[in-house]
Amino acid sequence: MSQRPGPDVLDNTPWWLPEVTTSGGGDGLVVVRCSAYETANGQGPRHLEGGFYGLESLGPHVWICTARSDGRFRMSCRCGHRGQPQDLCNGHVAMIRKRASGVCPPCVHPPAERELQEKMERIRKRPELYTGPPDEIDRARRKAVSELWDIQHAVDELVARGIVHRCQLELREVS
Ligand SMILES: [Zn+2]
Ligand SMILES: [Zn+2]
Ligand SMILES: [Zn+2]
């Protein structure tokens, strides 16, 4: 792996794979580069999390790939969720597929589930759970616990009805 200019930039071009084109396209053609590590709006690489969400933290290194793109791909699940299309070299297509692309975020966290999670979060943050006379804190906590259980049962029901489910993301070529 060769160092690119700048201490933080690491080249992850899969140049050792025979089907990856690392030289320019030539003859004045605009060469589309692999965007395996392209970031969107300062967020993480778009292939992570299937291009649905960015990553909060990328660590200290910026990875780049300088290979020529071999096609446009995007993550999708069998429920029809789709990530952002991106240009990828064959090497990164193979790498992403090999890593097993993970679970579709909108399928594990559909709006109904997120709403319930937020509701739980709001209950957990109630100030009366933490400050006040001890017996009132006690009462507030008992009330919160019973409300949290109700919401938990609603989440369980979403799982039982298949609204919350684990869908495999697959990297497919965009036609
Ligand atoms: Zn690449
Ligand atoms: Zn999905
Ligand atoms: Zn699904």
Side-chain angles (χ1 to χ4, degrees), residues 12-14 20 34-37 65-68 87-93:
N12 193 36
T13 308
V20 172
C34 173
S35 64
Y37 296 101
C65 176
T66 56
R68 202 185 67 194
D87 300 294
L88 293 175
C89 70
N90 286 329
H92 274 112
V93 170

Side-chain angles (χ1 to χ4, degrees), residues 1-12 15 61-64:
M1 211 170 284
S2 65
Q3 281 283 340
R4 304 288 303 178
D8 295 320
V9 181
L10 299 175
D11 192 340
N12 193 36
W15 48 266
H61 302 300
V62 176
W63 294 90
I64 58 165

Side-chain angles (χ1 to χ4, degrees), residues 24 47 55 75 78 85 98 104 118 122 131 134 139 158:
H47 76 270
L55 269 199
M75 293 287 196
R78 63 185 147 81
K98 196 175 164 190
C104 175
E118 280 160 25
R122 281 200 297 276
T131 50
R139 198 177 313 128
L158 291 180

Side-chain angles (χ1 to χ4, degrees), residues 8 18 50 69 74 79-80 110 118 122 128 136 143 153 164 173:
D8 295 320
S69 161
R74 70 165 148 210
C79 294
E118 280 160 25
R122 281 200 297 276
E128 62 264 36
E136 274 178 37
K143 183 168 173 279
H153 289 141
V164 170
E173 188 152 16

Side-chain angles (χ1 to χ4, degrees), residues 18-67:
E19 71 271 28
V20 172
T21 315
T22 51
S23 54
D27 299 342
L29 286 172
V30 178
V31 177
V32 180
R33 294 286 167 187
C34 173
S35 64
Y37 296 101
E38 187 178 289
T39 61
N41 309 319
Q43 295 175 312
R46 286 192 288 179
H47 76 270
L48 296 171
E49 294 287 330
F52 288 104
Y53 305 117
L55 269 199
E56 267 68 272
S57 166
L58 261 182
H61 302 300
V62 176
W63 294 90
I64 58 165
C65 176
T66 56

